[in-house]
Structure formats: structure tokens, C-alpha cells
Amino acid sequence: IAHKFPAEQATTVLRDIEIQVGRTGALTPVAKLEPVTVGGVVVSNATLHNEDEIARKDIRIGDTVVVQRAGDVIPQVVSVQLEKRPRGAEPYDFPKTCPVCGSHATRETDEKGEADVVRRCTGGLICPAQAKERLKHFVSRNALDIEGLGGEKIELFHDEGLIRRPADIFTLQERDQRSSAPLAERKGLGKRSVEKLFAAIDARRRVPLDKFVYALGIRHIGETTAKDLAKAYGSWSAFRSGVEAAVKGGKDSEAYADIDNIEGIGESVVDALIDFFGEDHNIDALEALLEHIEVQDFERVRAVQSPVTGK
């Protein structure tokens, strides 16, 4: 029998609820708490998951709440102490528009007509919050893995207008050489770190097909799905042609069925591909990016010779 200690809990006051917008447009509520020590760590933020969870627990701003660290890691609000609720506390009204770009925020419905628990911004690439998160995803370890270009630098460069879309990463050095305020002269950067950053960017001008598809940050396409697509098509040109045919033909087309029939791929993935490649601003960003990088064909792992090879 395995025994596990119960998560340590603490009580504090919920000062505010902040909405964060992720890469796929998901609006995530975060509790801003009066700092409290839980399991030896000072906690001032905690996840509230989604709007249904807030309504189910009837969490209101000003409430005294019980907090714990799930698995001794992620802080979460467990419950509300109703007897300590301040007079006049109103139920939380979850925003119906994106707090960053003002676009409508909707809850998708599945084939059964059930609403998704997550509300999403419909702004896409015009939403600055999504653009930042997509850029962070693009340079992340499992995508292009550009060393030295982490979340903080993406935030900084995006806010200063230096990097607004993926192609800007690969023109950064060229623009920096013409700039009156080069990066090497900025506080906290320095000549050596900037040289290393540019070298890391140059090292990623050739990228494998599966990593490139994953790096695009298309909804429902994780590492495994990107690899399945890359394996099925082999090259970027074949993949793009197949998807563009599905965009033109729609759900009843042969091209749509061809993608749907790939092992491990379902309708949600095909629909996400069509949504992405059906948007002109995504195509523009993609064309600009492809001027600076080369997408390599997918390399299939060759089986070693054995009595069952090829059977």
C-alpha cells in the first residue's frame, strides 16, 4: 500500500481575478491572492481553471478562500469560506470579450452540441497576447529550439516592435545592423550574448518538417500529430498542397478525406488545419517566414536488417 500525505492548505483573501490569454486564445482565470505560505512556498496567484469552475465553487472577489498546492506544485483554490464573505460581493461575470484585443470570446460546441469548458478569443493573430504566446511556442525547445530567445526576450522584442511574427526573428540581425540603437548596446544584453543569439537563429534556418508543422502552433497539433502528418506527406510542398486542396474542397472533398484517413488524425485536426490555412493573414506570415528558412523533408527511420525486415 502506498501512502501519500494530504496537500497542505492555507486560508487567504482573493483580491482579484485576472484573465490571461494563451497561444490558442484560451481565456484562463487566475486568482490574485493576499500572499500566503503554503507548504513552505509563498503563494500569491492560483489557477481557477475556467468559468464553469468559478460558478460551481461560487468564487467571488473579496472572498476568504482555502488554497492548496496540487501535487505540492500548482496552487489552486479549493473552496470558499462563505461565513466570511463580505456583504455585497457579486458573482463573478466572466468576460465575453478578449481583455487584450477586444475580440469576441466564445465557447465552441462539439458534434454533440456540448459547449467547451474553455472560452476562446476569436482574434487570432491580430490579438497581441496570442501573437506573443505563438512566438514563444515557435522558439520553444520542442519546436525550433532557438537558444537565448526565451519568453522574456520575446516579450521585450514584441513590445518594442522588433519581433511581431516568426519571419521577424530571421531578419533581426539584418535590421539590427542598420539600427541607430543596436541590441549590443542595450543594458542586460551585451555584444557576446547578442552574437550568440544571432548564431542560434542562423542555426535554425533549416528545420525538419515535423518540427516546423508543430512550431506553427496550429490548434490540436502537438508533437505526435505533427510527426504523423510529416510522415504521411514527406515534404512541405506535398503537405501544403494537400491542405490547400482541403481548404478549397471543404468537408466533402477527397482532399479532406485523405487527411482524415491518416492514422492518428481526426476531424478536429483537419478542421484546425483548414482554419489556419484558410486565413489570409496566416498565409502572409507563412510566406514571409519561408523566404528565410528551408523546411527539410521528413526523414523516416530505416529499419535495421533482420529476418522480419520489410515483412
Side-chain angles (χ1 to χ4, degrees):
I1 298 172
H3 291 274
K4 188 176 181 181
F5 290 109
E8 186 178 320
Q9 297 183 337
T11 303
T12 188
V13 176
L14 190 150
R15 293 296 182 199
D16 197 8
I17 295 176
E18 187 178 278
I19 302 296
Q20 295 181 347
V21 184
R23 173 174 61 86
T24 60
L27 271 59
T28 304
V30 177
K32 311 302 283 186
L33 307 167
E34 194 72 41
V36 63
T37 301
V38 184
V41 175
V42 176
V43 170
S44 56
N45 299 321
T47 178
L48 292 172
H49 302 292
N50 53 62
E51 61 183 294
D52 288 350
E53 192 73 357
I54 292 174
R56 187 179 69 80
K57 293 178 179 175
D58 191 21
I59 298 170
R60 305 183 186 187
I61 294 171
D63 277 345
T64 299
V65 295
V66 177
V67 181
Q68 72 178 24
R69 290 169 64 215
D72 283 336
V73 178
I74 304 166
Q76 61 179 194
V77 174
V78 180
S79 60
V80 175
Q81 294 186 337
L82 294 174
E83 67 279 6
K84 293 183 180 179
R85 171 167 287 167
R87 188 175 296 174
E90 296 284 334
Y92 181 70
D93 184 22
F94 204 91
K96 306 299 186 291
T97 58
C98 173
V100 178
C101 71
S103 300
H104 288 295
T106 60
R107 292 174 68 171
E108 298 173 358
T109 53
D110 58 19
E111 293 90 357
K112 298 177 183 176
E114 296 177 2
D116 191 350
V117 295
V118 177
R119 189 173 290 276
R120 295 179 192 277
C121 165
T122 56
L125 290 178
I126 66 164
C127 177
Q130 287 188 62
K132 281 183 187 177
E133 295 305 317
R134 283 172 186 262
L135 284 166
K136 288 178 188 176
H137 173 79
F138 185 79
V139 302
S140 64
R141 179 165 294 178
N142 295 325
L144 260 69
D145 189 19
I146 299 178
E147 197 174 334
L149 193 60
E152 284 185 13
K153 280 200 177 72
I154 288 290
E155 292 264 356
L156 174 67
F157 293 162
H158 185 277
D159 290 343
E160 293 187 3
L162 293 172
I163 295 177
R164 288 296 171 89
R165 56 183 187 170
D168 295 340
I169 294 169
F170 296 95
T171 62
L172 184 62
Q173 183 173 7
E174 182 188 330
R175 287 180 286 124
D176 187 62
Q177 289 170 349
R178 302 194 305 264
S179 174
S180 57
L183 295 175
E185 294 178 7
R186 299 191 184 199
K187 189 178 179 182
L189 287 174
K191 186 179 178 181
R192 182 73 186 124
S193 63
V194 170
E195 285 175 354
K196 287 174 73 175
L197 172 61
F198 290 153
I201 291 171
D202 279 339
R204 294 294 179 268
R205 289 184 185 271
R206 299 182 75 219
V207 55
L209 177 59
D210 56 319
K211 285 191 175 290
F212 183 69
V213 173
Y214 173 69
L216 293 177
I218 303 169
R219 197 164 166 231
H220 299 305
I221 297 183
E223 287 179 81
T224 303
T225 305
K227 196 161 277 186
D228 290 339
L229 289 165
K231 194 184 297 181
Y233 284 99
S235 70
W236 168 251
S237 57
F239 168 72
R240 184 168 180 176
S241 298
V243 176
E244 286 178 345
V247 172
K248 287 179 184 175
K251 278 209 167 193
D252 297 326
S253 67
E254 189 178 328
Y256 185 101
D258 286 343
I259 304 173
D260 192 23
N261 288 334
I262 297 170
E263 190 175 348
I265 306 296
E267 282 195 12
S268 59
V269 172
V270 192
D271 291 341
L273 284 168
I274 288 175
D275 287 345
F276 182 87
F277 283 88
E279 291 282 356
D280 289 340
H281 55 252
N282 288 337
I283 298 301
D284 290 343
L286 200 53
E287 292 291 358
L289 175 60
L290 290 168
E291 288 180 14
H292 302 285
I293 67 169
E294 177 192 341
V295 183
Q296 298 171 293
D297 292 350
F298 182 75
E299 285 190 20
R300 289 176 171 81
V301 178
R302 293 185 179 181
V304 293
Q305 290 299 317
S306 75
V308 293
T309 297
K311 295 184 179 179

